[in-house]
DNA sequence: CATGGGATTGACT
DNA sequence: GTCAATCCCATGC
């Protein structure tokens, strides 16, 4: 069941935590979300910090949109816009456990081990063939869909810690991981605790 | 119009 | 462990 607008129209941290274990799909490729981070306009690591610009305007749009941006001139990173319209907040999808379309992922990624197909925000967009032209598309009825965990799926054990790769507001514990997964982008930091 | 930085990755020492 | 690649866009002149 595709997640609806009401799922995304909540506190971005709540949305982030609840996205762990959900399944994201684009075309024939799909994976289970095992790592996310939340970003909010109130803190300087967020692209929405400082108000609306052309680059970040999607962050302030309706909940459930995809915010895709280019990182370091090379990679695309995928976010799910959260909170109500007018508030700049989103969840960065950082890692997936590959579920379907592995052959396509391997050919796009060119790596040997399946653990490396989607174990990073730039890796998973390459694996799922998600590019900048999907910025502003809808996760509710667009080409990228996020669905709730299948009925009967074991609830992930979610742990939280500090976000990765940022220089500002680096101490906020807004990274959420599935503690049981071998597909996260980095090994567990020393300080991770139950969410 | 010129400049600088970044929510990363992969290759290399 | 270090470091370059590469480009969109925000900012400043």
């Amino acid at each position: 069941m595709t997640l609806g607008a009401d799922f995304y129209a909540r506190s971005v941290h709540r949305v982030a935590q609840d996205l762990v274990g959900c399944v994201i799909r684009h075309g024939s490729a799909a994976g289970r979300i095992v790592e996310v981070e939340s970003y909010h306009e109130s803190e300087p690591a967020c692209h929405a910090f400082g108000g609306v610009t052309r680059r970040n305007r999607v962050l302030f749009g309706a909940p459930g949109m995809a915010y895709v941006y280019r990182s370091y001139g090379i990679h695309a990173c995928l976010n799910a816009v959260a909170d109500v319209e007018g508030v700049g907040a989103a969840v960065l999808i950082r890692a997936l456990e590959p579920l379907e379309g592995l052959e396509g992922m391997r050919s796009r990624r060119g790596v040997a081990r399946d653990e490396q197909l989607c174990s990073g925000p730039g890796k998973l967009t390459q694996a799922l063939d998600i590019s900048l032209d999907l910025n502003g598309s809808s996760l509710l009825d667009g080409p990228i869909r996020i669905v709730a965990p299948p009925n009967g799926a074991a609830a992930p054990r979610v742990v939280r810690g500090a976000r990765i790769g940022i220089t500002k507001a680096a101490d906020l514990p807004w990274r959420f991981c599935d503690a049981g997964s071998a597909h996260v982008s980095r090994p567990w930091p020393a300080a991770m605790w139950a969410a």
Side-chain angles (χ1 to χ4, degrees):
Chain A
M1 180 81 182
T2 302
L3 299 172
D6 54 340
F7 176 90
Y8 297 100
R10 299 179 295 154
S11 156
V12 68
H13 314 303
R14 191 78 234 164
V15 174
Q17 185 171 332
D18 291 347
L19 277 175
V20 176
C22 294
V23 174
I24 184 167
R25 167 181 303 280
H26 180 232
S28 59
R32 179 175 172 275
I33 298 173
V34 296
E35 177 179 354
V36 298
E37 289 176 357
S38 45
Y39 288 84
H40 188 269
E41 64 181 18
S42 62
E43 43 92 12
C46 182
H47 290 173
F49 184 74
V52 182
T53 66
R54 186 173 38 161
R55 176 200 189 206
N56 68 18
R57 62 176 182 77
V58 172
L59 284 173
F60 295 85
M65 299 219 297
Y67 170 58
V68 185
Y69 71 96
R70 183 166 301 292
S71 173
Y72 291 91
I74 302 174
H75 310 287
C77 294
L78 171 67
N79 296 251
V81 174
D83 215 310
V84 296
E85 188 160 357
V87 173
V91 177
L92 171 68
I93 312 298
R94 285 195 57 90
L96 308 176
E97 171 188 343
L99 293 179
E100 298 175 34
L102 282 276
E103 279 312 309
M105 292 187 189
R106 292 187 190 106
S107 66
R108 282 186 290 272
R109 290 278 300 126
V111 296
R113 299 177 52 243
D114 289 351
E115 287 77 17
Q116 300 177 122
L117 288 175
C118 300
S119 58
K123 297 177 187 179
L124 70 90
T125 53
Q126 186 183 18
L128 296 200
D129 200 19
I130 293 170
S131 53
L132 289 195
D133 55 359
L134 292 172
N135 185 38
S137 67
S138 174
L139 300 171
L140 311 179
D141 57 10
I144 308 170
R145 303 295 178 93
I146 303 180
V147 304
N151 261 339
R157 187 162 70 85
V158 179
V159 294
R160 66 190 294 168
R163 295 177 295 183
I164 289 176
I166 56 176
T167 56
K168 292 167 279 194
D171 54 324
L172 295 173
W174 290 354
R175 177 188 180 214
F176 301 88
C177 300
D178 176 359
S181 177
H183 299 265
V184 295
S185 66
R186 306 267 188 103
W188 310 115
M192 295 280 281
W193 56 91

